[in-house]
Amino acid sequence: MLSETTLGYGRRMMTALLGLDALYRKESADGEGLAVVNLDLDRRYTADSFSTYNAAAACFSTLRAEASSLPEADRRRYYDDLAHSTLAFIKWRNAGIPFTSQISDFLHVPAEPAPAKELEALQLEMGELLTKMGYKGDLRAQCAAWEDQVRIPAGKVPEVLEGLLDQTWKRT
């Protein structure tokens, strides 16, 4: 269970993100915006009002600093990453940043190809798992057989997705 401190922080983060979304939509004419979940009907949250990206950056810098004092370690990490990504987005909107910085700052992964040893280890692990599942051949053949077995025909995707969403709704 999350602490009241973390829940309150999450609400402050949400209003800040909604405020940044409003600023971005206003200046970019992007119909999708940043907050792709429609919260217009949820009156519990009122978006912060940012007149500039610099004002938003100040807010998110404060939020990032405050994240370090949250009681739950996983939430400290999650909110630090979220604030870091958001500050990188603001910097990108203000002045632009190189593509490699977009990768590392938005997604928190190195902006370089994975090392060959790491890829080999992952391929070996995948092959072992697929073999345990009964797939034969080299990794390419195993992956192709797995894809053939689990692929949903394009015409059935809406029906299958609806069923999965129904199951998810019931479980949560």
Side-chain angles (χ1 to χ4, degrees), residues 75-152:
R75 298 295 89 189
R76 284 193 300 271
R77 174 68 185 261
Y78 171 79
Y79 283 122
D80 180 72
D81 283 354
L82 178 57
H84 178 142
S85 295
T86 306
L87 286 164
F89 171 81
I90 292 168
K91 185 176 179 184
W92 173 70
R93 293 304 297 171
N94 262 340
I97 57 176
F99 184 70
T100 55
S101 295
Q102 292 175 39
I103 298 292
S104 61
D105 291 340
F106 293 169
L107 303 176
H108 307 280
V109 296
E112 55 196 34
K117 282 190 176 205
E118 189 176 326
L119 289 175
E120 289 169 11
L122 289 170
Q123 290 171 343
L124 180 63
E125 185 178 351
M126 283 177 59
E128 289 171 357
L129 290 170
L130 289 166
T131 299
K132 286 179 186 176
M133 294 170 66
Y135 294 99
K136 308 284 186 225
D138 64 7
L139 183 58
R140 185 177 306 271
Q142 289 176 315
C143 288
W146 177 84
E147 286 177 356
D148 287 343
Q149 184 177 359
V150 299
R151 182 178 294 119
I152 307 297

Side-chain angles (χ1 to χ4, degrees), residues 32-91:
E32 292 297 317
L34 299 175
V36 295
V37 175
N38 184 354
L39 295 170
D40 289 343
L41 300 175
D42 190 339
R43 301 292 179 214
R44 292 177 296 170
Y45 303 104
T46 303
D48 288 351
S49 179
F50 300 121
S51 58
T52 65
Y53 283 113
N54 288 340
C59 176
F60 282 96
S61 292
T62 299
L63 284 167
R64 186 170 188 201
E66 290 175 3
S68 64
S69 64
L70 294 173
E72 298 89 359
D74 64 328
R75 298 295 89 189
R76 284 193 300 271
R77 174 68 185 261
Y78 171 79
Y79 283 122
D80 180 72
D81 283 354
L82 178 57
H84 178 142
S85 295
T86 306
L87 286 164
F89 171 81
I90 292 168
K91 185 176 179 184

